[in-house]
Amino acid sequence: SNGDGTFHIISTGELVTDWHRGLLTLDTPRSQGATGFLRAAGRIELGDVAFESHNPFGALLAIALDDRPLAQSQKILFQVGAIDRPTGFSTTPVKLAWNHGEYTGHRIVATGRLPWQVERIRCAVTLKQAAGRVVSATPLDADLRPQPPIIGADAGADYVLPLPAESLYVVVA
């Protein structure tokens, strides 16, 4: 622990758990992302990307697909996820003791049934220093089939791309 609520799992700082923000971040040259309480975290700044999500909880990941660092990659996969649960899933608050303290957790009272309820994605990604570099942005469906392209915009030296609400994957080239 660094005494500031963060715990660096790898001594290089590439994988960091921030207990105060409820966030785990990954920041390597070819993959960068975050998982946890995204909306509360606000804008998540990493080396070559920034994420801004309005989903309360989820996971966001950028991966270079061409064995180059993200800053130079010509093909990047964005993978995103939010809360998904079976219909009728429910919990009830419960007080739990841990590490000489007490906190409120949740006990599952109904596991639910099909179909699953998947929260829509409400997120934008910023590729830093990528203005003029992005040629296309293609969402993929759950079976990885290409969908109609989406459009982002240059913002100063960066490129900002709002991610589609129903897409788990987007390939930027």
Side-chain angles (χ1 to χ4, degrees):
S1 175
N2 292 346
D4 63 356
T6 64
F7 181 77
H8 292 250
I9 298 171
I10 298 174
S11 64
T12 61
E14 293 174 325
L15 191 59
V16 176
T17 300
D18 185 336
W19 300 108
H20 293 297
R21 293 172 70 198
L23 196 66
L24 180 126
T25 57
L26 170 71
D27 197 347
T28 73
R30 293 192 300 244
S31 58
Q32 296 171 19
T35 187
F37 297 99
L38 302 176
R39 181 173 52 208
R43 186 175 169 93
I44 301 164
E45 295 284 347
L46 300 168
D48 301 301
V49 299
F51 296 105
E52 201 159 356
S53 177
H54 296 285
N55 295 90
F57 190 85
L60 310 161
L61 186 60
I63 304 165
L65 296 177
D66 56 8
D67 204 29
R68 298 179 188 180
L70 284 169
Q72 292 135 16
S73 179
Q74 298 297 308
K75 195 171 193 179
I76 299 171
L77 171 68
F78 290 99
Q79 184 173 354
V80 296
I83 296 171
D84 56 331
R85 293 187 173 139
T87 300
F89 177 92
S90 66
T91 63
T92 186
V94 60
K95 293 287 184 190
L96 301 168
W98 182 72
N99 201 20
H100 309 294
E102 190 175 275
Y103 70 98
T104 301
H106 294 273
R107 176 173 287 130
I108 297 171
V109 293
T111 56
R113 65 192 177 290
L114 293 176
W116 280 72
Q117 303 295 312
V118 180
E119 186 176 284
R120 293 180 179 275
I121 303 301
R122 295 174 309 198
C123 175
V125 63
T126 299
L127 283 166
K128 298 177 182 179
Q129 302 297 313
R133 192 176 93 199
V134 175
V135 175
S136 67
T138 307
L140 307 176
D141 69 13
D143 295 320
L144 303 179
R145 291 181 298 230
Q147 300 301 301
I150 57 175
I151 298 171
D154 290 343
D158 301 332
Y159 179 80
V160 179
L161 181 67
L163 298 179
E166 297 175 0
S167 186
L168 302 176
Y169 314 99
V170 176
V171 175
V172 172

